[in-house]
Amino acid sequence: MHIDKCIQRNIPKLNLSNYNIKAITELETTLRETNNLPDNCSVMLGSGINTFLEELSLAFAKGRSVLLPEFDYFLFGITLEKLGIQSNKFKLTNGGHWDTADALAKLQEHDPAITLLSTPNNPTSRTAPVEFIETLATHTNGLVVIDEVYHLFADDPHALCRLLETHENLVLMRSMSKAGYAATGFGYIMGNTKIISCLRQLKGGTTISPLNVAAGKALIENHDLLAAHVKSCCKWRDHVKNSIEQHTALSCLPSETDFLLIETPAGQADAFTTHLIEAGIPCISYAPMPQLTDCIRVMPSNISDAITLCHFLQKLNDLAEGILQKPRLSAK
């Protein structure tokens, strides 16, 4: 509520009849300082991850290709297809880990203009090891572009910022959509000054909506408050995870996002999903994903209090016991 009021107070201070270049420049400077960026890096404001990806692809990947994991944010593939840019994919191992050997092989085979992935990752809930990102940036001739929309949920939210000083081909994209401010459309991109300058030229300047500037200013000035809110969400996420593992026969994958992946009995992800949805608990089945085929996805924010959590745990127990005790057909 405090940040909402700050946004509202900022709007009248901006002149909606001009481009507010001074306010934009000041906010970009604040972001450089907040993220402790090295001297060779710059920040550009924008309206979100997909817009940044389009601008990067048009600037650097036309006529070439983009490499990404076989499972990542679904709009990546849609965006690249819309722009007519070829995409190639490297494998994930069982459990949703990045396959370093296959990624390096694909880099050598396709020589992509951009290697793209999200970390913390949607849909796997995992954070890519810094060493993996460093390996990609060292062995590619192109850019390594990271969607960090979940960065505030990560154990080390600024781990990749430290790589910007040593890897000039690394680009980080952020927005506030997963921190509770999707409607603001506020985001920013960080990278080597030469890369950011190319994007500015393509964009035709630094202009973004004054309303985005007002929201961004309030969000960044209250970054500690926002981070504390996300931290409390992470504590609840971890509490839900621990409760599942303590009070049911099921386990969860590690998560540095706002969602949890629960491992169900083999072949039962769809059944669990159907029954949980019927019980009023939103859920997504990962059955179509070979490496996570027995997982279901839930949002701890949908399990908002202790009473709902108890109901959820009881439902999970009933499902696990009912399915595990169900006699299996003999393969005769």
Side-chain angles (χ1 to χ4, degrees):
M1 291 176 64
H2 172 75
I3 295 176
D4 289 347
K5 290 177 181 177
C6 288
I7 293 174
Q8 293 167 12
R9 286 197 298 269
N10 281 341
I11 291 174
K13 299 176 184 177
L14 294 169
N15 185 347
L16 298 183
S17 66
N18 66 33
Y19 294 123
N20 299 281
I21 301 299
K22 183 174 182 291
I24 292 171
T25 303
E26 289 175 350
L27 186 51
E28 288 175 343
T29 299
T30 300
L31 282 165
R32 285 193 79 259
E33 295 169 353
T34 301
N35 289 287
N36 297 312
L37 296 187
D39 293 339
N40 64 335
C41 288
S42 297
V43 175
M44 187 177 80
L45 304 186
S47 57
I49 299 299
N50 291 325
T51 301
F52 287 138
L53 177 56
E54 287 190 13
E55 292 167 350
L56 283 163
S57 298
L58 290 170
F60 297 102
K62 286 299 272 185
R64 298 184 62 190
S65 66
V66 172
L67 180 66
L68 57 160
E70 59 184 340
F71 295 114
D72 213 313
Y73 184 41
F74 74 98
L75 279 180
F76 287 169
I78 293 173
T79 300
L80 295 172
E81 184 177 0
K82 179 178 71 174
L83 297 175
I85 295 174
Q86 179 186 350
S87 62
N88 299 293
K89 298 185 178 182
F90 63 86
K91 296 177 182 178
L92 298 182
T93 62
N94 288 335
H97 295 282
W98 289 264
D99 190 324
T100 303
D102 191 58
L104 291 175
K106 292 296 196 303
L107 283 177
Q108 186 173 7
E109 179 182 357
H110 299 291
D111 190 26
I114 293 173
T115 300
L116 169 69
L117 62 104
S118 64
T119 179
N121 181 265
N122 178 11
T124 71
S125 78
R126 294 180 179 274
T127 295
V130 172
E131 295 78 14
F132 176 73
I133 304 300
E134 198 167 13
T135 297
L136 293 178
T138 300
H139 288 85
T140 183
N141 296 316
L143 302 181
V144 175
V145 176
I146 308 296
D147 172 357
E148 284 199 304
V149 70
Y150 286 103
H151 78 283
L152 287 176
F153 291 86
D155 294 339
D156 186 352
H158 303 292
L160 295 185
C161 279
R162 294 189 283 274
L163 290 182
L164 289 170
E165 186 169 7
T166 53
H167 294 78
E168 294 186 349
N169 59 340
L170 180 63
V171 178
L172 306 180
M173 307 184 295
R174 290 180 176 175
S175 85
M176 295 299 178
S177 63
K178 300 305 178 185
Y181 285 89
T184 66
F186 174 73
Y188 59 97
I189 189 168
M190 302 181 287
N192 184 271
T193 298
K194 293 180 180 178
I195 296 171
I196 300 301
S197 296
C198 287
L199 292 177
R200 288 195 197 282
Q201 291 176 16
L202 178 68
K203 196 179 183 72
T206 59
T207 60
I208 65 169
S209 161
L211 300 178
N212 282 20
V213 176
K217 183 174 168 56
L219 289 166
I220 300 308
E221 288 179 349
N222 292 279
H223 184 270
D224 290 345
L225 183 62
L226 188 66
H229 165 69
V230 173
K231 187 175 182 180
S232 70
C233 293
C234 291
K235 285 184 177 179
W236 179 248
R237 174 201 66 200
D238 294 342
H239 175 67
V240 172
K241 177 180 182 292
N242 292 336
S243 297
I244 291 170
E245 294 179 337
Q246 290 174 12
H247 301 291
T248 78
L250 305 172
S251 60
C252 302
L253 296 184
S255 175
E256 294 184 51
T257 63
D258 61 356
F259 58 87
L260 284 173
L261 300 188
I262 305 171
E263 295 183 289
T264 68
Q268 299 301 329
D270 284 343
F272 267 68
T273 300
T274 298
H275 288 297
L276 287 172
I277 291 174
E278 288 174 351
I281 301 166
C283 182
I284 298 173
S285 172
Y286 273 29
M289 296 178 59
Q291 288 79 1
L292 296 167
T293 188
D294 294 321
C295 289
I296 59 173
R297 171 170 166 165
V298 297
M299 296 282 290
S301 60
N302 290 325
I303 307 165
S304 55
D305 52 44
I307 294 174
T308 309
L309 179 57
C310 288
H311 169 67
F312 174 59
L313 295 173
Q314 184 60 54
K315 188 65 180 176
L316 284 178
N317 262 324
D318 292 346
L319 287 170
E321 290 176 2
I323 290 173
L324 288 172
Q325 293 172 7
K326 187 177 181 180
R328 296 184 180 273
L329 295 176
S330 175
K332 291 185 179 179

